[in-house]
Amino acid sequence: MLVRDAMSTVVLTIGPAHTLRQAARLMAARRVGAAVVLDSDAGGLGILTERDILNSVGAGQNPDLELAGTHTTTDVVFAAPSWTLEEAAEAMTHGGFRHLIVLDNDGPVGIVSVRDIIRCWAPARRHPATLAG
């Protein structure tokens, strides 16, 4: 199975000037665990995850004052829609993260998470007879 088959095509894109509270509200409303941070001034894409927000709040920082750009990971590993789920899982394991932005030639087309991969693999593991059929 490929990343394109598992990824969520709901891509929440925010700017670096969004507060962490704004980002959290948008993520919760769309039921996603990560947002793509588009910083046109810096010329790139980054990712802000629920873990980034949790770490900030846990450190006592004010989510109404902290900006997404300050907590964005900019050294991002991107996936291609044609990657296998094994390749995505290996990249996540190697990098120690749970989300990959999926890019094609036109930019971000999705996000694949560990949960997406497990959702695809779990049915196959429960019903091995269907793999032979």
Side-chain angles (χ1 to χ4, degrees):
M1 187 171 276
L2 302 177
V3 164
R4 75 170 51 93
D5 303 318
M7 71 183 189
S8 170
T9 56
V10 176
V11 180
L12 172 60
T13 303
I14 64 172
H18 278 80
T19 67
L20 292 187
R21 185 175 309 278
Q22 290 170 324
R25 282 185 178 146
L26 291 168
M27 290 164 65
R30 288 169 179 76
R31 299 178 51 110
V32 297
V36 173
V37 181
L38 178 58
D39 189 349
S40 54
D41 293 335
L45 296 175
I47 190 166
L48 178 75
T49 67
E50 57 199 358
R51 183 179 293 171
D52 297 323
I53 296 169
L54 183 65
N55 287 340
S56 174
V57 171
Q61 296 174 334
N62 185 336
D64 292 314
L65 299 177
E66 291 297 314
L67 300 181
T70 305
H71 298 276
T72 297
T73 300
T74 55
D75 185 20
V76 180
V77 175
F78 299 101
S82 60
W83 278 19
T84 65
L85 293 185
E86 288 82 5
E87 288 172 309
E90 184 177 319
M92 289 177 187
T93 301
H94 181 73
F97 44 81
R98 298 178 296 162
H99 298 85
L100 284 169
I101 299 172
V102 183
L103 292 181
D104 71 4
N105 295 332
D106 298 323
V109 294
I111 293 183
V112 65
S113 69
V114 169
R115 182 177 295 164
D116 296 326
I117 293 171
I118 290 170
R119 187 183 65 241
C120 290
W121 283 348
R125 303 282 190 257
R126 276 184 285 183
H127 305 289
T130 58
L131 293 176

